[in-house]
PDB file of all heavy atoms in Angstrom:
ATOM      1  N   LEU S  73      -3.588  13.096  33.218  1.00  0.00           N
ATOM      2  CA  LEU S  73      -2.646  13.970  32.395  1.00  0.00           C
ATOM      3  C   LEU S  73      -3.263  15.343  32.114  1.00  0.00           C
ATOM      4  O   LEU S  73      -2.644  16.395  32.268  1.00  0.00           O
ATOM      5  CB  LEU S  73      -2.261  13.261  31.095  1.00  0.00           C
ATOM      6  CG  LEU S  73      -1.564  11.901  31.325  1.00  0.00           C
ATOM      7  CD1 LEU S  73      -1.321  11.215  29.957  1.00  0.00           C
ATOM      8  CD2 LEU S  73      -0.239  12.064  32.015  1.00  0.00           C
ATOM      9  N   ALA S  74      -4.521  15.272  31.635  1.00  0.00           N
ATOM     10  CA  ALA S  74      -5.094  16.514  31.191  1.00  0.00           C
ATOM     11  C   ALA S  74      -6.133  17.058  32.259  1.00  0.00           C
ATOM     12  O   ALA S  74      -6.718  16.270  33.008  1.00  0.00           O
ATOM     13  CB  ALA S  74      -5.847  16.271  29.866  1.00  0.00           C
ATOM     14  N   THR S  75      -6.234  18.366  32.253  1.00  0.00           N
ATOM     15  CA  THR S  75      -7.217  18.963  33.175  1.00  0.00           C
ATOM     16  C   THR S  75      -8.606  18.812  32.537  1.00  0.00           C
ATOM     17  O   THR S  75      -8.844  19.171  31.429  1.00  0.00           O
ATOM     18  CB  THR S  75      -6.917  20.472  33.304  1.00  0.00           C
ATOM     19  OG1 THR S  75      -5.527  20.640  33.518  1.00  0.00           O
ATOM     20  CG2 THR S  75      -7.763  21.068  34.443  1.00  0.00           C
ATOM     21  N   VAL S  76      -9.442  18.248  33.374  1.00  0.00           N
ATOM     22  CA  VAL S  76     -10.895  18.126  32.981  1.00  0.00           C
ATOM     23  C   VAL S  76     -11.631  19.185  33.745  1.00  0.00           C
ATOM     24  O   VAL S  76     -11.524  19.242  35.000  1.00  0.00           O
ATOM     25  CB  VAL S  76     -11.439  16.668  33.320  1.00  0.00           C
ATOM     26  CG1 VAL S  76     -12.916  16.589  33.040  1.00  0.00           C
ATOM     27  CG2 VAL S  76     -10.632  15.614  32.608  1.00  0.00           C
ATOM     28  N   GLY S  77     -12.334  20.017  33.049  1.00  0.00           N
ATOM     29  CA  GLY S  77     -12.892  21.167  33.792  1.00  0.00           C
ATOM     30  C   GLY S  77     -14.352  21.414  33.413  1.00  0.00           C
ATOM     31  O   GLY S  77     -14.880  20.937  32.472  1.00  0.00           O
ATOM     32  N   ARG S  78     -14.916  22.248  34.295  1.00  0.00           N
ATOM     33  CA  ARG S  78     -16.279  22.684  34.111  1.00  0.00           C
ATOM     34  C   ARG S  78     -16.268  24.108  33.395  1.00  0.00           C
ATOM     35  O   ARG S  78     -17.215  24.486  32.796  1.00  0.00           O
ATOM     36  CB  ARG S  78     -17.022  22.839  35.440  1.00  0.00           C
ATOM     37  CG  ARG S  78     -17.240  21.464  36.059  1.00  0.00           C
ATOM     38  CD  ARG S  78     -18.187  21.604  37.334  1.00  0.00           C
ATOM     39  NE  ARG S  78     -18.174  20.334  38.009  1.00  0.00           N
ATOM     40  CZ  ARG S  78     -18.912  19.297  37.615  1.00  0.00           C
ATOM     41  NH1 ARG S  78     -19.665  19.448  36.523  1.00  0.00           N
ATOM     42  NH2 ARG S  78     -18.917  18.194  38.269  1.00  0.00           N
ATOM     43  N   ARG S  79     -15.167  24.777  33.584  1.00  0.00           N
ATOM     44  CA  ARG S  79     -14.994  26.098  32.953  1.00  0.00           C
ATOM     45  C   ARG S  79     -14.721  25.875  31.476  1.00  0.00           C
ATOM     46  O   ARG S  79     -13.817  25.105  31.114  1.00  0.00           O
ATOM     47  CB  ARG S  79     -13.906  26.913  33.668  1.00  0.00           C
ATOM     48  CG  ARG S  79     -14.011  28.367  33.471  1.00  0.00           C
ATOM     49  CD  ARG S  79     -12.940  29.063  34.341  1.00  0.00           C
ATOM     50  NE  ARG S  79     -11.593  28.490  34.033  1.00  0.00           N
ATOM     51  CZ  ARG S  79     -10.786  28.891  33.083  1.00  0.00           C
ATOM     52  NH1 ARG S  79     -11.199  29.881  32.310  1.00  0.00           N
ATOM     53  NH2 ARG S  79      -9.646  28.319  32.895  1.00  0.00           N
ATOM     54  N   ARG S  80     -15.432  26.502  30.595  1.00  0.00           N
ATOM     55  CA  ARG S  80     -15.287  26.298  29.217  1.00  0.00           C
ATOM     56  C   ARG S  80     -14.496  27.458  28.565  1.00  0.00           C
ATOM     57  O   ARG S  80     -14.896  28.617  28.872  1.00  0.00           O
ATOM     58  CB  ARG S  80     -16.597  26.114  28.435  1.00  0.00           C
ATOM     59  CG  ARG S  80     -17.438  24.953  28.909  1.00  0.00           C
ATOM     60  CD  ARG S  80     -17.108  23.712  28.125  1.00  0.00           C
ATOM     61  NE  ARG S  80     -15.773  23.121  28.386  1.00  0.00           N
ATOM     62  CZ  ARG S  80     -15.462  22.286  29.410  1.00  0.00           C
ATOM     63  NH1 ARG S  80     -16.376  21.944  30.273  1.00  0.00           N
ATOM     64  NH2 ARG S  80     -14.276  21.801  29.544  1.00  0.00           N
ATOM     65  N   PRO S  81     -13.587  27.332  27.629  1.00  0.00           N
ATOM     66  CA  PRO S  81     -12.980  25.982  27.368  1.00  0.00           C
ATOM     67  C   PRO S  81     -11.841  25.726  28.390  1.00  0.00           C
ATOM     68  O   PRO S  81     -11.303  26.623  28.966  1.00  0.00           O
ATOM     69  CB  PRO S  81     -12.356  26.220  25.977  1.00  0.00           C
ATOM     70  CG  PRO S  81     -12.049  27.689  25.920  1.00  0.00           C
ATOM     71  CD  PRO S  81     -13.047  28.381  26.798  1.00  0.00           C
ATOM     72  N   THR S  82     -11.561  24.422  28.535  1.00  0.00           N
ATOM     73  CA  THR S  82     -10.580  24.012  29.498  1.00  0.00           C
ATOM     74  C   THR S  82      -9.204  23.877  28.819  1.00  0.00           C
ATOM     75  O   THR S  82      -8.226  24.483  29.268  1.00  0.00           O
ATOM     76  CB  THR S  82     -10.959  22.709  30.129  1.00  0.00           C
ATOM     77  OG1 THR S  82     -12.252  22.840  30.692  1.00  0.00           O
ATOM     78  CG2 THR S  82     -10.004  22.280  31.247  1.00  0.00           C
ATOM     79  N   THR S  83      -9.119  22.976  27.848  1.00  0.00           N
ATOM     80  CA  THR S  83      -7.803  22.756  27.234  1.00  0.00           C
ATOM     81  C   THR S  83      -7.487  23.869  26.262  1.00  0.00           C
ATOM     82  O   THR S  83      -8.295  24.236  25.424  1.00  0.00           O
ATOM     83  CB  THR S  83      -7.865  21.404  26.499  1.00  0.00           C
ATOM     84  OG1 THR S  83      -8.401  20.471  27.386  1.00  0.00           O
ATOM     85  CG2 THR S  83      -6.500  21.027  25.970  1.00  0.00           C
ATOM     86  N   SER S  84      -6.259  24.452  26.338  1.00  0.00           N
ATOM     87  CA  SER S  84      -5.919  25.519  25.455  1.00  0.00           C
ATOM     88  C   SER S  84      -4.681  25.153  24.604  1.00  0.00           C
ATOM     89  O   SER S  84      -4.311  25.863  23.705  1.00  0.00           O
ATOM     90  CB  SER S  84      -5.568  26.812  26.252  1.00  0.00           C
ATOM     91  OG  SER S  84      -4.496  26.521  27.139  1.00  0.00           O
ATOM     92  N   GLU S  85      -4.050  23.999  24.920  1.00  0.00           N
ATOM     93  CA  GLU S  85      -2.876  23.603  24.167  1.00  0.00           C
ATOM     94  C   GLU S  85      -2.876  22.052  23.994  1.00  0.00           C
ATOM     95  O   GLU S  85      -3.308  21.343  24.935  1.00  0.00           O
ATOM     96  CB  GLU S  85      -1.654  23.998  25.038  1.00  0.00           C
ATOM     97  CG  GLU S  85      -0.374  24.163  24.283  1.00  0.00           C
ATOM     98  CD  GLU S  85       0.754  24.302  25.285  1.00  0.00           C
ATOM     99  OE1 GLU S  85       0.590  24.796  26.419  1.00  0.00           O
ATOM    100  OE2 GLU S  85       1.924  23.952  24.911  1.00  0.00           O
ATOM    101  N   GLY S  86      -2.479  21.631  22.847  1.00  0.00           N
ATOM    102  CA  GLY S  86      -2.453  20.169  22.628  1.00  0.00           C
ATOM    103  C   GLY S  86      -1.420  19.538  23.479  1.00  0.00           C
ATOM    104  O   GLY S  86      -0.397  20.110  23.861  1.00  0.00           O
ATOM    105  N   GLN S  87      -1.695  18.230  23.826  1.00  0.00           N
ATOM    106  CA  GLN S  87      -0.647  17.457  24.499  1.00  0.00           C
ATOM    107  C   GLN S  87      -0.745  16.014  24.084  1.00  0.00           C
ATOM    108  O   GLN S  87      -1.766  15.571  23.482  1.00  0.00           O
ATOM    109  CB  GLN S  87      -0.783  17.535  26.072  1.00  0.00           C
ATOM    110  CG  GLN S  87      -2.134  17.077  26.585  1.00  0.00           C
ATOM    111  CD  GLN S  87      -2.077  17.040  28.106  1.00  0.00           C
ATOM    112  OE1 GLN S  87      -1.108  16.656  28.670  1.00  0.00           O
ATOM    113  NE2 GLN S  87      -3.157  17.544  28.721  1.00  0.00           N
ATOM    114  N   ALA S  88       0.328  15.283  24.289  1.00  0.00           N
ATOM    115  CA  ALA S  88       0.410  13.936  23.734  1.00  0.00           C
ATOM    116  C   ALA S  88       0.630  12.864  24.799  1.00  0.00           C
ATOM    117  O   ALA S  88       1.330  13.117  25.806  1.00  0.00           O
ATOM    118  CB  ALA S  88       1.549  13.854  22.678  1.00  0.00           C
TER     119      ALA S  88
END
Side-chain angles (χ1 to χ4, degrees):
L73 301 175
T75 315
V76 176
R78 291 186 189 283
R79 202 173 52 87
R80 300 269 70 85
T82 305
T83 309
S84 60
E85 202 189 334
Q87 60 174 317

